[in-house]
Amino acid sequence: MARAWNFCAGPAALPEAVLTRAAEEMLDWHGRGLSFMEMSHRSPEVVGVVEEAEACLRRLLAIGDDYAVLFLQGGASTQFAAVPLNLAAPGGPADYLDTGQWSKKAIAEGRRYADVGVVASDAAGNYRTVPPRDSWQLREDAAYLHLTPNETIGGVEFTEAPVAPAPLVADLSSTLLSRPLDVSHYGVIYAGAQKNIGPAGLTLVIVRRDLLGRARPECPAMLNWETAAAADSMYNTPPTFALYLAALVFEWLEGLGGLPAMAERNRRKAETLYGFIDNSAFYANPVDPPWRSWMNVPFVLADDGLDKRFLEEAEAAGLLNLKGHRSVGGMRASLYNAVPQAAVDDLVVFMADFERRCG
Ligand code: PMP
């Protein structure tokens, strides 16, 4: 059986070693005579795996005891509402930086619950850059400053946590675990799992404990971080199989040398693809070079009439899911942790050949 290279933005490629292990353990998990999926979430087996997942994640990101790690559901999109409901007073001020499509979604949801201030936006420039920090209009009384440090659709990424009066809340869905991160700069970090963490269905929230206990009375129990923290993420039935796979992914990451090792691999993959694109007159990436994402590389062909043929031939060559997001068109290659250098090398060989034949 030949596995194709998967460049999907999410749900994304999972490490082959993790899938193989899960397959081996599928029918009989550790001699218990049943699969992990079939066990009670209150069983010592499941509780043990969830505890190990948390411990491993804490080691990978050097998360201090002053942070709670929550395993939730509903995707990052649910956190768009949970953030204001947990942190902002009804109609109170909350600041957002607008760097692309996912910022816009967080802002739209935030407006239902808070007085949203957009501190800066690159919408007029079609989201090719990050507005300079000295142009941001921050409010002293904002409950938080919301950031999207990696825009999965636009391929715009910034890695430095800005200094701001309010706690930083970061949607790190498509960049968490791709390189080291100083968690202590953030009040809240959240991410849907289906990129670098595991399968869809699991949402990770890392919240500084002093920010717990501020939820408004109308905040649903399922969105209340304090409720989740008090119940060790077992307020209701958690997505146990997704948690088990995430635990295997964290273990795989640690075995490879953790986030510094991943950063080195990811830097090299990104350099391979951007380097090739920049040396070609046929392909182009629109993002300002300092803000180019390591994880999501959008690119266009000189003639968009060739898009369909490019995608068909790529698929035939075993290079899957290169179609850009439906809102922007073109192409996008997502280079998450589980996408190896060999996949990027094969992609570049295919792109060069396509250019020779069609350019
Ligand atoms: N934020 C970002 C940066 C994303 O990339 C995505 C999904 N691609 C979302 C939010 C929405 O995530 P979910 O589908 O888990 O709700």
Side-chain angles (χ1 to χ4, degrees), residues 84-357:
L85 286 167
N86 277 277
L87 295 179
D95 282 348
Y96 285 71
L97 175 67
D98 177 20
T99 46
Q101 307 296 335
W102 288 111
S103 301
K104 261 175 37 184
K105 285 217 163 163
I107 288 166
E109 190 73 346
R111 286 204 166 113
R112 295 159 60 89
Y113 305 104
D115 166 27
V116 166
V118 177
V119 302
S121 171
D122 187 42
N126 224 358
Y127 297 122
R128 286 170 190 193
T129 192
V130 176
R133 168 69 183 80
D134 59 11
S135 71
W136 300 5
Q137 305 286 318
L138 298 170
R139 290 176 295 181
E140 287 293 330
D141 58 347
Y144 56 86
L145 170 61
H146 184 280
L147 309 166
T148 311
N150 188 68
E151 287 283 354
T152 320
I153 297 172
V156 170
E157 178 168 25
F158 61 95
T159 54
E160 207 172 312
V163 176
L168 303 181
V169 174
D171 172 4
L172 287 164
S173 291
S174 46
T175 186
L176 192 71
L177 303 180
S178 67
R179 54 171 123 196
L181 174 89
D182 190 341
V183 170
S184 72
H185 289 147
Y186 299 88
V188 182
I189 287 167
Y190 65 93
Q194 63 273 21
K195 290 103 164 47
N196 276 329
I197 297 170
L202 173 68
T203 313
L204 176 66
V205 176
I206 303 169
V207 52
R208 214 173 58 217
R209 290 188 197 277
D210 67 305
L211 296 172
L212 296 173
R214 300 184 184 190
R216 328 175 172 176
E218 74 268 28
C219 177
M222 280 296 291
L223 302 196
N224 188 314
W225 298 330
E226 192 185 27
T227 302
D232 293 326
S233 300
M234 301 258 183
Y235 173 74
N236 80 326
T237 315
T240 50
F241 194 66
L243 272 161
Y244 155 74
L245 285 174
L248 293 183
V249 169
F250 298 157
E251 205 181 291
W252 172 80
L253 274 174
E254 214 170 30
L256 288 174
L259 303 191
M262 286 327 295
E264 188 43 38
R265 289 161 61 125
N266 289 329
R267 185 190 54 74
R268 194 167 147 234
K269 288 185 293 179
E271 277 176 13
T272 302
L273 186 50
Y274 286 116
F276 170 77
I277 290 172
D278 286 347
N279 278 317
S280 152
F282 183 74
Y283 300 102
N285 166 276
V287 179
D288 218 4
W291 310 114
R292 284 173 165 179
S293 167
W294 280 4
M295 292 289 101
N296 311 97
V297 184
F299 60 93
V300 292
L301 277 49
D303 172 6
D304 65 10
L306 289 168
D307 283 7
K308 192 165 168 280
R309 181 168 167 196
F310 179 93
L311 290 166
E312 281 168 4
E313 293 191 11
E315 192 169 327
L319 305 165
L320 305 189
N321 293 314
L322 286 163
K323 197 175 189 324
H325 191 268
R326 59 188 187 283
S327 65
V328 291
M331 309 298 154
R332 172 176 52 172
S334 294
L335 311 181
Y336 298 120
N337 288 345
V339 176
Q341 179 70 36
V344 185
D345 292 342
D346 285 356
L347 172 61
V348 163
V349 167
F350 168 80
M351 288 170 72
D353 181 57
F354 189 85
E355 176 177 356
R356 231 177 346 262
R357 291 183 289 109

